[in-house]
mmCIF file of all heavy atoms in Angstrom:
data_model
loop_
_atom_site.group_PDB
_atom_site.id
_atom_site.type_symbol
_atom_site.label_atom_id
_atom_site.label_comp_id
_atom_site.label_asym_id
_atom_site.label_seq_id
_atom_site.Cartn_x
_atom_site.Cartn_y
_atom_site.Cartn_z
ATOM 1 N N LEU A 1 57.217 77.777 168.584
ATOM 2 C CA LEU A 1 58.430 78.572 168.788
ATOM 3 C C LEU A 1 59.414 77.736 169.583
ATOM 4 O O LEU A 1 59.205 77.462 170.766
ATOM 5 C CB LEU A 1 58.106 79.872 169.538
ATOM 6 C CG LEU A 1 59.303 80.757 169.910
ATOM 7 C CD1 LEU A 1 60.072 81.199 168.671
ATOM 8 C CD2 LEU A 1 58.837 81.969 170.712
ATOM 9 N N ALA A 2 60.492 77.310 168.925
ATOM 10 C CA ALA A 2 61.545 76.535 169.580
ATOM 11 C C ALA A 2 62.594 77.505 170.103
ATOM 12 O O ALA A 2 63.130 78.318 169.354
ATOM 13 C CB ALA A 2 62.169 75.556 168.592
ATOM 14 N N VAL A 3 62.888 77.419 171.393
ATOM 15 C CA VAL A 3 63.804 78.359 172.040
ATOM 16 C C VAL A 3 65.010 77.607 172.582
ATOM 17 O O VAL A 3 64.867 76.666 173.364
ATOM 18 C CB VAL A 3 63.097 79.110 173.199
ATOM 19 C CG1 VAL A 3 64.054 80.079 173.868
ATOM 20 C CG2 VAL A 3 61.856 79.820 172.699
ATOM 21 N N LEU A 4 66.184 78.027 172.143
ATOM 22 C CA LEU A 4 67.434 77.490 172.679
ATOM 23 C C LEU A 4 68.076 78.595 173.510
ATOM 24 O O LEU A 4 68.414 79.655 172.983
ATOM 25 C CB LEU A 4 68.372 77.053 171.551
ATOM 26 C CG LEU A 4 69.587 76.265 172.008
ATOM 27 C CD1 LEU A 4 69.951 75.216 170.967
ATOM 28 C CD2 LEU A 4 70.783 77.146 172.264
ATOM 29 N N VAL A 5 68.177 78.366 174.795
ATOM 30 C CA VAL A 5 68.766 79.354 175.706
ATOM 31 C C VAL A 5 70.201 78.927 175.975
ATOM 32 O O VAL A 5 70.460 77.781 176.326
ATOM 33 C CB VAL A 5 67.981 79.433 177.039
ATOM 34 C CG1 VAL A 5 68.581 80.479 177.955
ATOM 35 C CG2 VAL A 5 66.513 79.732 176.775
ATOM 36 N N TRP A 6 71.131 79.839 175.773
ATOM 37 C CA TRP A 6 72.543 79.523 175.972
ATOM 38 C C TRP A 6 73.168 80.500 176.952
ATOM 39 O O TRP A 6 72.674 81.598 177.163
ATOM 40 C CB TRP A 6 73.301 79.541 174.641
ATOM 41 C CG TRP A 6 73.220 80.853 173.908
ATOM 42 C CD1 TRP A 6 72.233 81.268 173.063
ATOM 43 C CD2 TRP A 6 74.153 81.938 173.969
ATOM 44 N NE1 TRP A 6 72.492 82.517 172.597
ATOM 45 C CE2 TRP A 6 73.669 82.964 173.135
ATOM 46 C CE3 TRP A 6 75.347 82.138 174.655
ATOM 47 C CZ2 TRP A 6 74.345 84.163 172.960
ATOM 48 C CZ3 TRP A 6 76.016 83.339 174.468
ATOM 49 C CH2 TRP A 6 75.513 84.330 173.631
ATOM 50 N N ARG A 7 74.234 80.045 177.535
ATOM 51 C CA ARG A 7 75.051 80.903 178.407
ATOM 52 C C ARG A 7 76.408 81.029 177.747
ATOM 53 O O ARG A 7 76.973 80.041 177.276
ATOM 54 C CB ARG A 7 75.199 80.283 179.791
ATOM 55 C CG ARG A 7 73.887 80.158 180.529
ATOM 56 C CD ARG A 7 74.072 79.511 181.858
ATOM 57 N NE ARG A 7 74.752 78.230 181.660
ATOM 58 C CZ ARG A 7 75.100 77.419 182.632
ATOM 59 N NH1 ARG A 7 74.828 77.730 183.865
ATOM 60 N NH2 ARG A 7 75.701 76.281 182.394
ATOM 61 N N HIS A 8 76.957 82.223 177.724
ATOM 62 C CA HIS A 8 78.197 82.429 176.978
ATOM 63 C C HIS A 8 79.361 81.617 177.527
ATOM 64 O O HIS A 8 80.280 81.281 176.814
ATOM 65 C CB HIS A 8 78.560 83.908 176.883
ATOM 66 C CG HIS A 8 78.904 84.533 178.197
ATOM 67 N ND1 HIS A 8 80.152 84.474 178.739
ATOM 68 C CD2 HIS A 8 78.144 85.222 179.073
ATOM 69 C CE1 HIS A 8 80.157 85.108 179.901
ATOM 70 N NE2 HIS A 8 78.954 85.566 180.119
ATOM 71 N N CYS A 9 79.324 81.231 178.783
ATOM 72 C CA CYS A 9 80.425 80.457 179.346
ATOM 73 C C CYS A 9 80.369 78.985 178.948
ATOM 74 O O CYS A 9 81.334 78.259 179.119
ATOM 75 C CB CYS A 9 80.459 80.579 180.862
ATOM 76 S SG CYS A 9 78.957 79.978 181.657
ATOM 77 N N ASP A 10 79.224 78.530 178.376
ATOM 78 C CA ASP A 10 79.084 77.122 178.000
ATOM 79 C C ASP A 10 80.026 76.710 176.880
ATOM 80 O O ASP A 10 80.557 75.620 176.876
ATOM 81 C CB ASP A 10 77.646 76.816 177.556
ATOM 82 C CG ASP A 10 76.676 76.795 178.722
ATOM 83 O OD1 ASP A 10 77.138 76.710 179.875
ATOM 84 O OD2 ASP A 10 75.471 76.874 178.469
ATOM 85 N N THR A 11 80.190 77.572 175.890
ATOM 86 C CA THR A 11 80.952 77.179 174.712
ATOM 87 C C THR A 11 81.902 78.272 174.253
ATOM 88 O O THR A 11 82.017 78.555 173.068
ATOM 89 C CB THR A 11 80.000 76.825 173.553
ATOM 90 O OG1 THR A 11 79.140 77.943 173.331
ATOM 91 C CG2 THR A 11 79.181 75.581 173.842
ATOM 92 N N ASP A 12 82.575 78.921 175.179
ATOM 93 C CA ASP A 12 83.534 79.951 174.794
ATOM 94 C C ASP A 12 84.616 79.354 173.908
ATOM 95 O O ASP A 12 85.055 78.230 174.119
ATOM 96 C CB ASP A 12 84.203 80.576 176.031
ATOM 97 C CG ASP A 12 83.265 81.503 176.773
ATOM 98 O OD1 ASP A 12 82.223 81.859 176.201
ATOM 99 O OD2 ASP A 12 83.581 81.872 177.914
ATOM 100 N N PRO A 13 85.076 80.119 172.904
ATOM 101 C CA PRO A 13 86.173 79.617 172.082
ATOM 102 C C PRO A 13 87.462 79.591 172.902
ATOM 103 O O PRO A 13 87.577 80.296 173.906
ATOM 104 C CB PRO A 13 86.259 80.637 170.948
ATOM 105 C CG PRO A 13 85.675 81.884 171.509
ATOM 106 C CD PRO A 13 84.631 81.441 172.504
ATOM 107 N N PRO A 14 88.416 78.791 172.487
ATOM 108 C CA PRO A 14 89.677 78.761 173.207
ATOM 109 C C PRO A 14 90.308 80.157 173.245
ATOM 110 O O PRO A 14 90.204 80.912 172.275
ATOM 111 C CB PRO A 14 90.538 77.793 172.383
ATOM 112 C CG PRO A 14 89.568 77.009 171.574
ATOM 113 C CD PRO A 14 88.368 77.875 171.370
ATOM 114 N N PRO A 15 90.965 80.531 174.367
ATOM 115 C CA PRO A 15 91.515 81.880 174.505
ATOM 116 C C PRO A 15 92.537 82.223 173.428
ATOM 117 O O PRO A 15 92.661 83.373 173.038
ATOM 118 C CB PRO A 15 92.170 81.892 175.879
ATOM 119 C CG PRO A 15 91.833 80.602 176.524
ATOM 120 C CD PRO A 15 91.166 79.720 175.539
ATOM 121 N N GLU A 16 93.264 81.238 172.926
ATOM 122 C CA GLU A 16 94.319 81.522 171.954
ATOM 123 C C GLU A 16 93.778 81.885 170.571
ATOM 124 O O GLU A 16 94.531 82.301 169.705
ATOM 125 C CB GLU A 16 95.297 80.340 171.845
ATOM 126 C CG GLU A 16 94.676 79.044 171.344
ATOM 127 C CD GLU A 16 94.058 78.191 172.443
ATOM 128 O OE1 GLU A 16 93.995 78.620 173.601
ATOM 129 O OE2 GLU A 16 93.629 77.076 172.117
ATOM 130 N N THR A 17 92.458 81.763 170.339
ATOM 131 C CA THR A 17 91.906 82.067 169.018
ATOM 132 C C THR A 17 91.617 83.547 168.829
ATOM 133 O O THR A 17 91.407 83.994 167.710
ATOM 134 C CB THR A 17 90.600 81.292 168.772
ATOM 135 O OG1 THR A 17 89.648 81.695 169.748
ATOM 136 C CG2 THR A 17 90.839 79.799 168.797
ATOM 137 N N ASN A 18 91.579 84.326 169.890
ATOM 138 C CA ASN A 18 91.272 85.757 169.830
ATOM 139 C C ASN A 18 89.948 86.038 169.119
ATOM 140 O O ASN A 18 89.808 87.023 168.426
ATOM 141 C CB ASN A 18 92.408 86.526 169.139
ATOM 142 C CG ASN A 18 93.665 86.510 169.961
ATOM 143 O OD1 ASN A 18 93.612 86.532 171.183
ATOM 144 N ND2 ASN A 18 94.808 86.444 169.294
ATOM 145 N N ARG A 19 88.999 85.171 169.283
ATOM 146 C CA ARG A 19 87.674 85.363 168.701
ATOM 147 C C ARG A 19 86.708 85.822 169.785
ATOM 148 O O ARG A 19 86.876 85.496 170.944
ATOM 149 C CB ARG A 19 87.181 84.070 168.060
ATOM 150 C CG ARG A 19 88.024 83.681 166.862
ATOM 151 C CD ARG A 19 87.314 82.627 166.041
ATOM 152 N NE ARG A 19 88.032 82.413 164.810
ATOM 153 C CZ ARG A 19 88.786 81.353 164.570
ATOM 154 N NH1 ARG A 19 88.912 80.424 165.476
ATOM 155 N NH2 ARG A 19 89.404 81.226 163.421
ATOM 156 N N SER A 20 85.693 86.531 169.376
ATOM 157 C CA SER A 20 84.690 87.018 170.305
ATOM 158 C C SER A 20 83.910 85.853 170.906
ATOM 159 O O SER A 20 83.263 85.112 170.177
ATOM 160 C CB SER A 20 83.728 87.963 169.589
ATOM 161 O OG SER A 20 82.594 88.195 170.383
ATOM 162 N N PRO A 21 83.951 85.679 172.229
ATOM 163 C CA PRO A 21 83.209 84.568 172.836
ATOM 164 C C PRO A 21 81.706 84.666 172.599
ATOM 165 O O PRO A 21 81.060 83.679 172.300
ATOM 166 C CB PRO A 21 83.519 84.673 174.317
ATOM 167 C CG PRO A 21 84.643 85.599 174.456
ATOM 168 C CD PRO A 21 84.707 86.432 173.212
ATOM 169 N N LEU A 22 81.133 85.849 172.717
ATOM 170 C CA LEU A 22 79.687 85.978 172.583
ATOM 171 C C LEU A 22 79.222 85.708 171.165
ATOM 172 O O LEU A 22 78.259 84.994 170.943
ATOM 173 C CB LEU A 22 79.229 87.361 173.041
ATOM 174 C CG LEU A 22 79.401 87.636 174.528
ATOM 175 C CD1 LEU A 22 78.926 89.033 174.866
ATOM 176 C CD2 LEU A 22 78.651 86.620 175.354
ATOM 177 N N LYS A 23 79.906 86.261 170.187
ATOM 178 C CA LYS A 23 79.497 86.050 168.803
ATOM 179 C C LYS A 23 79.696 84.589 168.406
ATOM 180 O O LYS A 23 78.859 83.999 167.739
ATOM 181 C CB LYS A 23 80.270 86.973 167.868
ATOM 182 C CG LYS A 23 79.756 86.946 166.453
ATOM 183 C CD LYS A 23 80.402 87.997 165.599
ATOM 184 C CE LYS A 23 79.828 87.960 164.198
ATOM 185 N NZ LYS A 23 80.503 88.898 163.326
ATOM 186 N N GLY A 24 80.798 84.001 168.828
ATOM 187 C CA GLY A 24 81.059 82.604 168.514
ATOM 188 C C GLY A 24 80.040 81.684 169.145
ATOM 189 O O GLY A 24 79.558 80.743 168.517
ATOM 190 N N THR A 25 79.674 81.944 170.367
ATOM 191 C CA THR A 25 78.702 81.115 171.063
ATOM 192 C C THR A 25 77.327 81.266 170.448
ATOM 193 O O THR A 25 76.617 80.286 170.253
ATOM 194 C CB THR A 25 78.662 81.483 172.552
ATOM 195 O OG1 THR A 25 79.962 81.319 173.086
ATOM 196 C CG2 THR A 25 77.703 80.609 173.314
ATOM 197 N N ARG A 26 76.950 82.477 170.131
ATOM 198 C CA ARG A 26 75.639 82.707 169.523
ATOM 199 C C ARG A 26 75.553 82.006 168.170
ATOM 200 O O ARG A 26 74.562 81.370 167.854
ATOM 201 C CB ARG A 26 75.378 84.202 169.364
ATOM 202 C CG ARG A 26 73.984 84.500 168.857
ATOM 203 C CD ARG A 26 73.673 86.002 168.939
ATOM 204 N NE ARG A 26 72.284 86.239 168.689
ATOM 205 C CZ ARG A 26 71.744 86.307 167.468
ATOM 206 N NH1 ARG A 26 72.497 86.126 166.408
ATOM 207 N NH2 ARG A 26 70.462 86.540 167.315
ATOM 208 N N THR A 27 76.612 82.094 167.381
ATOM 209 C CA THR A 27 76.636 81.426 166.087
ATOM 210 C C THR A 27 76.536 79.916 166.256
ATOM 211 O O THR A 27 75.791 79.242 165.537
ATOM 212 C CB THR A 27 77.924 81.792 165.319
ATOM 213 O OG1 THR A 27 77.965 83.209 165.163
ATOM 214 C CG2 THR A 27 77.974 81.127 163.964
ATOM 215 N N ALA A 28 77.269 79.372 167.207
ATOM 216 C CA ALA A 28 77.221 77.926 167.468
ATOM 217 C C ALA A 28 75.828 77.519 167.941
ATOM 218 O O ALA A 28 75.309 76.474 167.528
ATOM 219 C CB ALA A 28 78.275 77.535 168.503
ATOM 220 N N ALA A 29 75.200 78.331 168.784
ATOM 221 C CA ALA A 29 73.857 78.026 169.281
ATOM 222 C C ALA A 29 72.834 78.085 168.148
ATOM 223 O O ALA A 29 71.948 77.237 168.064
ATOM 224 C CB ALA A 29 73.478 78.986 170.404
ATOM 225 N N MET A 30 72.958 79.059 167.249
ATOM 226 C CA MET A 30 72.046 79.159 166.120
ATOM 227 C C MET A 30 72.203 77.952 165.200
ATOM 228 O O MET A 30 71.219 77.386 164.715
ATOM 229 C CB MET A 30 72.293 80.456 165.350
ATOM 230 C CG MET A 30 71.815 81.671 166.097
ATOM 231 S SD MET A 30 72.240 83.304 165.412
ATOM 232 C CE MET A 30 72.317 83.070 163.689
ATOM 233 N N ARG A 31 73.432 77.545 164.977
ATOM 234 C CA ARG A 31 73.690 76.372 164.140
ATOM 235 C C ARG A 31 73.090 75.116 164.782
ATOM 236 O O ARG A 31 72.485 74.288 164.108
ATOM 237 C CB ARG A 31 75.202 76.206 163.945
ATOM 238 C CG ARG A 31 75.583 75.209 162.880
ATOM 239 C CD ARG A 31 77.092 75.150 162.662
ATOM 240 N NE ARG A 31 77.676 76.455 162.428
ATOM 241 C CZ ARG A 31 78.638 76.997 163.192
ATOM 242 N NH1 ARG A 31 79.126 76.340 164.212
ATOM 243 N NH2 ARG A 31 79.123 78.182 162.912
ATOM 244 N N LEU A 32 73.253 74.990 166.094
ATOM 245 C CA LEU A 32 72.706 73.843 166.814
ATOM 246 C C LEU A 32 71.188 73.796 166.692
ATOM 247 O O LEU A 32 70.604 72.751 166.389
ATOM 248 C CB LEU A 32 73.131 73.880 168.282
ATOM 249 C CG LEU A 32 72.547 72.796 169.182
ATOM 250 C CD1 LEU A 32 72.996 71.406 168.726
ATOM 251 C CD2 LEU A 32 72.948 73.041 170.633
ATOM 252 N N LEU A 33 70.513 74.922 166.914
ATOM 253 C CA LEU A 33 69.053 74.955 166.826
ATOM 254 C C LEU A 33 68.583 74.622 165.414
ATOM 255 O O LEU A 33 67.639 73.850 165.231
ATOM 256 C CB LEU A 33 68.500 76.316 167.264
ATOM 257 C CG LEU A 33 66.974 76.438 167.237
ATOM 258 C CD1 LEU A 33 66.318 75.403 168.139
ATOM 259 C CD2 LEU A 33 66.549 77.842 167.613
ATOM 260 N N LYS A 34 69.251 75.164 164.408
ATOM 261 C CA LYS A 34 68.882 74.875 163.021
ATOM 262 C C LYS A 34 69.013 73.380 162.733
ATOM 263 O O LYS A 34 68.126 72.776 162.132
ATOM 264 C CB LYS A 34 69.763 75.679 162.068
ATOM 265 C CG LYS A 34 69.453 75.451 160.618
ATOM 266 C CD LYS A 34 70.371 76.264 159.725
ATOM 267 C CE LYS A 34 70.116 75.934 158.267
ATOM 268 N NZ LYS A 34 71.059 76.607 157.393
ATOM 269 N N ASN A 35 70.110 72.776 163.187
ATOM 270 C CA ASN A 35 70.315 71.341 162.975
ATOM 271 C C ASN A 35 69.263 70.504 163.699
ATOM 272 O O ASN A 35 68.765 69.518 163.164
ATOM 273 C CB ASN A 35 71.716 70.927 163.410
ATOM 274 C CG ASN A 35 72.788 71.476 162.499
ATOM 275 O OD1 ASN A 35 72.524 71.848 161.358
ATOM 276 N ND2 ASN A 35 74.003 71.555 163.008
ATOM 277 N N ILE A 36 68.929 70.903 164.929
ATOM 278 C CA ILE A 36 67.919 70.174 165.697
ATOM 279 C C ILE A 36 66.563 70.237 164.996
ATOM 280 O O ILE A 36 65.895 69.219 164.829
ATOM 281 C CB ILE A 36 67.820 70.731 167.135
ATOM 282 C CG1 ILE A 36 69.072 70.365 167.924
ATOM 283 C CG2 ILE A 36 66.568 70.225 167.839
ATOM 284 C CD1 ILE A 36 69.174 71.075 169.260
ATOM 285 N N LEU A 37 66.161 71.429 164.575
ATOM 286 C CA LEU A 37 64.870 71.572 163.902
ATOM 287 C C LEU A 37 64.840 70.771 162.599
ATOM 288 O O LEU A 37 63.830 70.125 162.291
ATOM 289 C CB LEU A 37 64.555 73.044 163.639
ATOM 290 C CG LEU A 37 64.269 73.879 164.889
ATOM 291 C CD1 LEU A 37 64.090 75.344 164.522
ATOM 292 C CD2 LEU A 37 63.056 73.364 165.640
ATOM 293 N N ASN A 38 65.944 70.795 161.852
ATOM 294 C CA ASN A 38 66.015 69.998 160.616
ATOM 295 C C ASN A 38 65.922 68.504 160.921
ATOM 296 O O ASN A 38 65.220 67.770 160.235
ATOM 297 C CB ASN A 38 67.298 70.294 159.844
ATOM 298 C CG ASN A 38 67.234 71.618 159.130
ATOM 299 O OD1 ASN A 38 66.158 72.137 158.828
ATOM 300 N ND2 ASN A 38 68.389 72.192 158.852
ATOM 301 N N ASP A 39 66.646 68.049 161.943
ATOM 302 C CA ASP A 39 66.636 66.623 162.286
ATOM 303 C C ASP A 39 65.262 66.145 162.731
ATOM 304 O O ASP A 39 64.829 65.060 162.371
ATOM 305 C CB ASP A 39 67.658 66.326 163.391
ATOM 306 C CG ASP A 39 69.089 66.434 162.917
ATOM 307 O OD1 ASP A 39 69.319 66.489 161.689
ATOM 308 O OD2 ASP A 39 69.994 66.478 163.779
ATOM 309 N N VAL A 40 64.577 66.955 163.514
ATOM 310 C CA VAL A 40 63.294 66.529 164.076
ATOM 311 C C VAL A 40 62.154 66.653 163.062
ATOM 312 O O VAL A 40 61.288 65.788 162.990
ATOM 313 C CB VAL A 40 62.966 67.321 165.366
ATOM 314 C CG1 VAL A 40 61.559 67.050 165.849
ATOM 315 C CG2 VAL A 40 63.975 66.984 166.450
ATOM 316 N N PHE A 41 62.170 67.706 162.233
ATOM 317 C CA PHE A 41 61.023 67.958 161.365
ATOM 318 C C PHE A 41 61.275 67.742 159.880
ATOM 319 O O PHE A 41 60.366 67.896 159.079
ATOM 320 C CB PHE A 41 60.502 69.384 161.589
ATOM 321 C CG PHE A 41 59.951 69.596 162.962
ATOM 322 C CD1 PHE A 41 60.624 70.372 163.882
ATOM 323 C CD2 PHE A 41 58.764 68.994 163.345
ATOM 324 C CE1 PHE A 41 60.121 70.563 165.156
ATOM 325 C CE2 PHE A 41 58.253 69.172 164.619
ATOM 326 C CZ PHE A 41 58.929 69.963 165.524
ATOM 327 N N ALA A 42 62.482 67.381 159.474
ATOM 328 C CA ALA A 42 62.786 67.231 158.044
ATOM 329 C C ALA A 42 61.973 66.123 157.395
ATOM 330 O O ALA A 42 61.561 66.236 156.248
ATOM 331 C CB ALA A 42 64.274 66.981 157.847
ATOM 332 N N ALA A 43 61.746 65.033 158.090
ATOM 333 C CA ALA A 43 61.040 63.889 157.506
ATOM 334 C C ALA A 43 59.530 64.103 157.458
ATOM 335 O O ALA A 43 58.831 63.389 156.749
ATOM 336 C CB ALA A 43 61.356 62.623 158.298
ATOM 337 N N THR A 44 59.028 65.047 158.211
ATOM 338 C CA THR A 44 57.588 65.289 158.222
ATOM 339 C C THR A 44 57.248 66.390 157.228
ATOM 340 O O THR A 44 58.057 67.255 156.936
ATOM 341 C CB THR A 44 57.096 65.708 159.619
ATOM 342 O OG1 THR A 44 57.706 66.950 159.965
ATOM 343 C CG2 THR A 44 57.427 64.657 160.652
ATOM 344 N N HIS A 45 56.057 66.329 156.727
ATOM 345 C CA HIS A 45 55.607 67.343 155.780
ATOM 346 C C HIS A 45 54.458 68.133 156.400
ATOM 347 O O HIS A 45 53.451 68.396 155.760
ATOM 348 C CB HIS A 45 55.181 66.694 154.462
ATOM 349 C CG HIS A 45 56.294 65.936 153.820
ATOM 350 N ND1 HIS A 45 57.388 66.556 153.268
ATOM 351 C CD2 HIS A 45 56.504 64.606 153.674
ATOM 352 C CE1 HIS A 45 58.217 65.647 152.790
ATOM 353 N NE2 HIS A 45 57.707 64.450 153.025
ATOM 354 N N ASP A 46 54.641 68.474 157.663
ATOM 355 C CA ASP A 46 53.612 69.215 158.388
ATOM 356 C C ASP A 46 53.546 70.653 157.893
ATOM 357 O O ASP A 46 54.522 71.211 157.403
ATOM 358 C CB ASP A 46 53.915 69.231 159.894
ATOM 359 C CG ASP A 46 53.729 67.859 160.515
ATOM 360 O OD1 ASP A 46 52.980 67.055 159.953
ATOM 361 O OD2 ASP A 46 54.354 67.605 161.552
ATOM 362 N N THR A 47 52.404 71.233 158.063
ATOM 363 C CA THR A 47 52.232 72.642 157.733
ATOM 364 C C THR A 47 52.278 73.487 159.004
ATOM 365 O O THR A 47 51.773 74.589 159.023
ATOM 366 C CB THR A 47 50.887 72.853 157.012
ATOM 367 O OG1 THR A 47 49.839 72.367 157.850
ATOM 368 C CG2 THR A 47 50.874 72.135 155.678
ATOM 369 N N VAL A 48 52.912 72.962 160.034
ATOM 370 C CA VAL A 48 53.010 73.686 161.299
ATOM 371 C C VAL A 48 53.992 74.843 161.124
ATOM 372 O O VAL A 48 55.129 74.634 160.707
ATOM 373 C CB VAL A 48 53.502 72.751 162.422
ATOM 374 C CG1 VAL A 48 53.741 73.520 163.704
ATOM 375 C CG2 VAL A 48 52.518 71.632 162.648
#
């Protein structure tokens, strides 16, 4: 179980975008974790 813990203040969108900071940060964190898992385990053919 790979866990990425984020804080909403780490990657808030710019204020002028009028986007939800929490949803934007969560989406960015999910994308980051997916990319990390792909980068680390894509070349291996483990059944883990």
Side-chain angles (χ1 to χ4, degrees):
L1 176 60
V3 180
L4 190 146
V5 181
W6 58 275
R7 296 178 305 178
H8 66 85
C9 60
D10 287 344
T11 55
D12 286 346
E16 63 273 6
T17 62
N18 293 326
R19 294 195 172 105
S20 167
L22 293 180
K23 188 172 182 184
T25 302
R26 185 170 190 278
T27 302
M30 288 172 31
R31 192 176 308 121
L32 176 63
L33 181 59
K34 180 181 175 185
N35 291 340
I36 290 170
L37 291 175
N38 284 337
D39 289 347
V40 171
F41 295 109
T44 64
H45 300 290
D46 290 336
T47 57
V48 174

